[in-house]
Amino acid sequence: MTKKVLLHKVIEDKTIVWFENRNEYVIFENTTADILKRINKGISTKEIAAALSKKLSVPIDKTIDFILDLEHKINDPKKINNLELVNDYRDIKKPSTYNFIKYYKINNIICKVSYLNEMELSYVHPKFSHLEVDLVKEFNHEFEVFIHHNYIFLYVNKKLIGSWSSKDVHYFQGKFSMELIQKIHQKEEDKWLGVFHASAISNGKKSMLFLGDSGNGKSTSLALLQANGFTCLADDFVPVDAKKQEVYSFPAAISIKKNSLKTLLPIYPELETTAEYNFTRLNKIVRYLKPNNADFFAHLPCNDLIFIKYEKDSELICSKISNLEAFQQLVPDSWLSPIKENAQTFLDWFENLNCYQLTYSKNVEMIKTVSEIFNNDL
């Protein structure tokens, strides 16, 4: 195996190994992780196999086979989907005019976003429509979004950020949000630890992340909590910075699915007349609820991560889960920094999080339990 940059973090009874060349985290048994470390140091297969044979009391030919197989699996190149256009963009011309121009005010920052057509508008505007202001003469940043030859292009302040095929719209949306968060908080991409597919709330002193599969009730729980004294920091797109590992605010609206309306309409009557969006690609119908955050520059420490699930008629169950179990659920849906120092910081931060599984059916009990976790009473 050619020498690679690896990071190792022992958590509970396993080792998480980070591979720099593909920015990938893999959980190994401790012995296997130790073998990888030795291979990477340049120790010969024969020497490692001899030590392993003695340790495990198995024939050396078996340990040699194991090590060679491990090397093969680690070095096996993964198929990478090339999202870039095959040409060099010389035949791409930005539109001279746009059909939709919106201005979004985030605290004292104004972003102008130009969309070529309704399709492009639908990919971004619904989540940020609550930030829209009237036509202004001056703005801080300019975004341009247009589709050309079935690819969606993003320019920020006249610079090409990238292009994505029609089947990869979610990657475009993630990049748009990443560019926006950099402009809001004046931090370039290398200053972020990661962005998590989660919801984040705060009690004014610290924050908490809610995770779970689509339909489990993350956003509904967030809406209930913001109606009961907590602040919505972010929904769906939760950025954490590398320097202090704090959760930063993101100004997107809370995504409310149709089946949550019965619960939320008595609390938020405005949802009755809010525009409804049918995302057939994602098989969901949603409305958007304005977050109650008055300071989109806010950032707070985070100690707790909760996998939340609404389950009809269920008793409230809240229990700590292993960090390894939480890690396996968190990482696949996250963008994590490819920078070695940030990867090490992420592993150190994650190791010290409190991870919970919370299942509930009664809203009052869920709110009470979250309050107890915030107050360290659980």
Side-chain angles (χ1 to χ4, degrees), residues 2 5 49 82 103 117 131 228 259 274 353 370:
T2 55
V5 176
N82 185 9
Y103 296 88
N117 291 308
L131 301 168
N228 283 272
N259 58 7
T274 300
L353 288 178
V370 169

Side-chain angles (χ1 to χ4, degrees), residues 244-259:
K244 293 186 177 180
Q245 303 87 62
E246 292 184 331
V247 170
Y248 273 63
S249 175
F250 186 66
I254 303 172
S255 172
I256 304 298
K257 295 185 180 67
K258 199 168 186 177
N259 58 7

Side-chain angles (χ1 to χ4, degrees), residues 32-220:
T32 306
D34 186 57
I35 292 170
L36 282 175
K37 191 183 291 185
R38 289 169 181 239
I39 293 171
N40 204 50
K41 284 181 178 178
I43 300 172
S44 71
T45 299
K46 190 173 181 180
E47 187 179 342
I48 299 169
L52 188 62
S53 173
K54 185 176 180 181
K55 179 181 178 180
L56 301 179
S57 300
V58 296
I60 192 167
D61 60 330
K62 297 291 186 186
T63 57
I64 287 175
D65 287 345
F66 175 76
I67 293 166
L68 291 175
D69 184 56
L70 179 62
E71 284 188 276
H72 174 72
K73 287 178 179 175
I74 295 303
N75 284 319
D76 188 24
K78 293 194 168 186
K79 292 180 181 178
I80 299 172
N81 292 322
N82 185 9
L83 302 181
E84 297 297 321
L85 285 178
V86 293
N87 61 44
D88 61 3
Y89 304 107
R90 280 179 296 188
D91 63 340
I92 302 298
K93 291 184 179 179
K94 282 200 299 179
S96 56
T97 59
Y98 289 88
N99 291 316
F100 299 94
I101 296 177
K102 302 290 185 181
Y103 296 88
Y104 304 112
K105 187 174 183 180
I106 305 159
N107 284 27
N108 60 346
I109 293 174
I110 295 178
C111 293
K112 175 186 177 182
V113 185
S114 302
Y115 307 96
L116 184 58
N117 291 308
E118 282 191 9
M119 180 67 77
E120 293 91 319
L121 183 77
S122 71
Y123 291 152
V124 175
H125 181 67
K127 284 189 174 184
F128 302 104
S129 61
H130 62 286
L131 301 168
E132 188 177 358
V133 293
D134 293 334
L135 175 67
V136 295
K137 291 183 179 179
E138 295 183 1
F139 50 87
N140 303 95
H141 301 286
E142 182 177 15
F143 290 65
E144 295 168 87
V145 182
F146 63 92
I147 293 174
H148 181 86
H149 291 327
N150 294 319
Y151 277 78
I152 185 164
F153 285 79
L154 173 63
Y155 280 76
V156 178
N157 295 334
K158 308 300 183 184
K159 177 186 175 183
L160 174 66
I161 301 301
S163 62
W164 298 263
S165 70
S166 55
K167 69 179 187 298
D168 292 314
V169 170
H170 58 295
Y171 288 115
F172 153 72
Q173 291 169 321
K175 191 63 176 177
F176 182 97
S177 295
M178 193 72 206
E179 288 295 319
L180 185 60
I181 205 71
Q182 290 176 61
K183 301 300 180 274
I184 296 170
H185 296 293
Q186 297 182 351
K187 284 179 182 284
E188 295 302 314
E189 192 168 295
D190 62 348
K191 303 301 182 186
W192 297 101
L193 200 64
V195 176
F196 303 99
H197 180 55
S199 298
I201 60 165
S202 86
N203 64 353
K205 297 178 181 178
K206 57 183 180 178
S207 64
M208 183 183 295
L209 296 189
F210 287 95
L211 299 102
D213 293 335
S214 180
N216 276 6
K218 291 191 304 292
S219 298
T220 305

Side-chain angles (χ1 to χ4, degrees), residues 3 14 49 57 76 176 206 211 224 233 295 312 319 326:
K3 190 168 184 180
K14 300 284 192 298
S57 300
D76 188 24
F176 182 97
K206 57 183 180 178
L211 299 102
L224 289 166
L233 279 182
D295 179 13
K312 188 179 179 182
S319 56

